[in-house]
Amino acid sequence: MFFYAVSNRGYDDIIGMRYSNAGNLLSGAVQIFTERMKLMFNIDLLSRTPIYEQLYKKILELILKQELKTNDKLPSVRELAKELGINPNTVAKTFQMLEHDKVIYSLAGRGSFVADVKTDVITEKALSGFDTAVREALAAGIPKEELNNRINQIS
Amino acid sequence: MMDLKGVTLQFDDFTALDNINLHIEKGSAFGLLGSNGAGKSTVLRLLSGVYKAKSGNVLVDGEEVFDNVNAKKKIFFINDETVQFGGMTLKELKEFYKGYYESFSGELFDSLNDVIKLPVNKKMDKFSKGMKRQAIVITGIAAQTDYLLLDEAFDGLDPTMRIIVKRMLVDAMIDRKLTTVISSHNLKEINEVCDSAALLHQGKILFNRDLDSIKGNVHKIQAAFKGEMTKENFTDMEVLHFERRQSITYMIVKGDLEFIKNNINEKKPDILDIIPLTLEEIFIYEMEGMGYDYKGNN
């Protein structure tokens, strides 16, 4: 077997934080990455979920939590790729998907910004998960009444 | 872009590469994975024009690369053998490559070395292995070629340097659409840096795909059914692996998550658990699916 054992993620995180300043010297770009931002965008490189999908969900989540507000500037592809240690093509792909879904918009030469996302777009996304869960529950033979009761209990 | 078309290469009676086809898109970061002796370095040496294929074509931007100075000037190859220029200082190394690559930027070289701070006037045979490695990496980036080939790229670099080198590569990819081809046996590294990868095994390509599309497309399923289930019950799905332990059925299935879920739910399982696989697990099961025994010595 030739695959390396998966190394300890915590270690890489620490290294990433500690030496990020050395790497920043490479780019003349103004660093808008605060420590807080870094934590916000933290993604799991060892996760089973594709990196672009994680980043997509992360940005949606940040908008939903109001950490990113309408017309806020997003970090550039370069900054995100460097900070997260991932391929810039992956970041660019995520931004394209977000733009396609009208979550962000971009201005030539100025970067990407948070669009005036109707909360119903986000609600729609949340509900699609709900729909799947209901379908599964019904398929598993749980009666509709019980599901209704459940909703009443939670809300 | 770079292409290998039906490439075969033998060394005496040993077939290093056997009818390989490979396409590397411009601006991408391409990973070559495989065990020792799988043929990774051979592919890189072909792509950089060091070796000549016995049959087939090795093309860079549509041009045959072997014996083609024009094509070779677009490529910088960082070999896994440490620098051959031990008698030179870093300053002399810079001048040497400046003479070969018209695109070489002395300014960029100096700014990269400002970050890693190697001594410029010391003979490189006095350098440690890691320092030699750093010297050739910054030379490769400063050469500003369209293609950068890295053999066992991150070997001999400490974790700090790895991060710094990755960031240098990010800049080059964004600023001038650099194409990188990176060989490694470390899946984690390839996963972070590359957007697509090929797995080589005994001179053949087992598969070659976009990494994001591989992930999330193979699932591990644990389910318990009332009746006795066999592999034949699931012929409408692409099952890579099937196993029963007592009452639990374990399967590795390729395909769309919703489709798989609905399909299994129709069979009314008592318990159903679906987990996507890690890239590492996917490679192992795919190899098994193709008849390679990963538990053996291959």
Side-chain angles (χ1 to χ4, degrees):
Chain A
M1 247 261 295
F2 55 79
F3 297 113
Y4 267 24
V6 170
S7 72
N8 186 335
R9 176 165 71 89
Y11 178 68
D12 272 6
D13 280 350
I14 294 162
I15 298 285
M17 300 286 272
R18 206 161 80 198
Y19 293 104
S20 54
N21 288 335
N24 287 349
L25 293 174
L26 288 173
S27 156
V30 185
Q31 294 297 319
I32 62 160
F33 251 96
T34 57
E35 288 298 316
R36 180 181 169 76
M37 275 271 226
K38 261 185 243 170
L39 287 175
M40 276 166 29
F41 281 96
N42 196 17
I43 59 166
D44 184 359
L45 294 172
L46 296 180
S47 159
R48 297 152 195 272
T49 317
I51 293 170
Y52 78 89
E53 204 178 309
Q54 285 186 53
L55 192 56
Y56 185 103
K57 284 185 180 154
K58 199 73 184 180
I59 291 173
L60 268 190
E61 191 189 312
L62 290 173
I63 295 172
L64 198 60
K65 285 185 181 161
Q66 297 276 304
E67 292 274 357
L68 287 172
K69 298 188 183 69
T70 306
N71 297 329
D72 274 0
K73 189 174 188 298
L74 287 162
S76 68
V77 169
R78 189 193 304 266
E79 286 164 336
L80 267 179
K82 281 185 167 182
E83 271 318 319
L84 303 174
I86 58 176
N87 187 317
N89 296 337
T90 309
V91 181
K93 182 174 166 185
T94 311
F95 278 22
Q96 275 162 22
M97 284 169 67
L98 285 164
E99 204 174 331
H100 176 265
D101 295 346
K102 301 199 165 44
V103 178
I104 63 171
Y105 63 95
S106 63
L107 297 175
R110 294 185 49 199
S112 299
F113 301 84
V114 178
D116 185 7
V117 192
K118 299 277 174 289
T119 24
D120 52 283
V121 178
I122 296 174
T123 317
E124 181 68 32
K125 293 220 183 271
L127 282 182
S128 80
F130 177 80
D131 291 351
T132 317
V134 171
R135 257 182 242 120
E136 275 174 47
L138 290 174
I142 300 171
K144 204 172 151 189
E145 297 72 50
E146 211 176 312
L147 294 180
N148 281 330
N149 290 339
R150 191 90 168 189
I151 295 175
N152 291 334
Q153 269 172 34
I154 297 170
S155 52
Chain B
M1 69 210 166
M2 297 181 126
D3 287 282
L4 292 186
K5 289 184 176 165
V7 169
T8 298
L9 184 63
Q10 288 112 350
F11 297 112
D12 299 323
D13 56 352
F14 172 69
T15 304
L17 293 178
D18 187 4
N19 193 20
I20 296 263
N21 289 297
L22 205 61
H23 174 75
I24 299 168
E25 206 62 60
K26 180 134 184 62
S28 72
F30 193 90
L32 285 170
L33 284 159
S35 50
N36 296 330
K40 303 188 296 290
S41 300
T42 311
V43 168
L44 291 177
R45 289 190 184 124
L46 278 166
L47 285 173
S48 58
V50 176
Y51 287 163
K52 187 179 192 307
K54 283 269 154 26
S55 61
N57 304 93
V58 182
L59 306 172
V60 171
D61 296 334
E63 270 184 277
E64 199 73 50
V65 67
F66 188 79
D67 256 354
N68 180 343
V69 180
N70 265 342
K72 281 186 172 183
K73 284 198 167 162
K74 296 181 188 168
I75 303 162
F76 196 101
F77 179 29
I78 299 177
N79 212 309
D80 67 337
E81 283 134 37
T82 34
V83 197
Q84 307 89 321
F85 309 99
M88 285 186 187
T89 65
L90 196 61
K91 217 175 180 176
E92 287 160 354
L93 184 78
K94 173 178 145 187
E95 292 310 317
F96 176 84
Y97 278 109
K98 225 178 180 170
Y100 185 77
Y101 290 104
E102 289 149 19
S103 50
F104 194 99
S105 161
E107 237 169 72
L108 178 58
F109 183 92
D110 294 341
S111 75
L112 295 175
N113 197 36
D114 280 347
V115 180
I116 60 174
K117 299 187 174 62
L118 290 170
V120 279
N121 291 317
K122 194 170 164 184
K123 287 235 163 63
M124 286 193 297
D125 47 15
K126 299 277 189 302
F127 279 17
S128 71
K129 186 185 170 201
M131 286 162 80
K132 285 180 193 160
R133 197 79 194 157
Q134 290 166 29
I136 196 73
V137 166
I138 60 166
T139 310
I141 294 173
Q144 301 202 90
T145 49
D146 291 351
Y147 301 93
L148 186 62
L149 313 181
L150 298 112
D151 201 357
E152 298 296 346
F154 298 97
D155 266 20
L157 295 180
D158 64 43
T160 322
M161 267 311 140
R162 281 169 196 239
I163 289 168
I164 292 175
V165 168
K166 272 185 208 163
R167 290 184 172 163
M168 289 174 174
L169 292 177
V170 167
D171 275 332
M173 286 177 74
I174 294 177
D175 292 339
R176 48 188 183 83
K177 282 245 153 225
L178 171 75
T179 309
T180 48
V181 185
I182 300 174
S183 82
S184 178
H185 44 251
N186 186 344
L187 201 56
K188 181 175 172 271
E189 209 112 67
I190 294 283
N191 182 25
E192 288 171 22
V193 183
C194 298
D195 34 49
S196 37
L199 177 62
L200 282 159
H201 187 69
Q202 294 179 349
K204 287 198 172 78
I205 288 184
L206 290 195
F207 64 91
N208 171 16
R209 244 169 294 151
D210 170 4
L211 284 179
D212 279 335
S213 73
I214 308 178
K215 272 192 177 182
N217 191 36
V218 184
H219 311 271
K220 187 195 287 184
I221 292 159
Q222 301 175 4
F225 298 98
K226 286 204 175 61
E228 189 78 8
M229 288 285 179
T230 64
K231 202 175 173 179
E232 278 63 48
N233 293 91
F234 302 97
T235 45
D236 38 1
M237 296 190 296
E238 193 174 340
V239 180
L240 295 177
H241 178 90
F242 187 92
E243 194 181 331
R244 271 182 60 96
R245 270 179 247 153
Q246 280 125 22
S247 59
I248 309 284
T249 304
Y250 297 90
M251 284 189 286
I252 305 294
V253 183
K254 212 161 142 180
D256 177 59
L257 180 64
E258 285 305 305
F259 173 79
I260 294 170
K261 243 187 213 171
N262 292 337
N263 195 313
I264 295 180
N265 273 329
E266 276 170 23
K267 298 179 177 72
K268 302 246 182 278
D270 290 335
I271 309 169
L272 174 61
D273 220 353
I274 303 185
I275 318 156
L277 290 185
T278 62
L279 205 52
E280 191 169 50
E281 289 168 312
I282 294 169
F283 278 24
I284 291 170
Y285 285 115
E286 290 252 1
M287 284 182 78
E288 192 185 315
M290 280 178 248
Y292 292 96
D293 180 10
Y294 67 90
K295 286 170 189 142
N297 296 322
N298 291 331

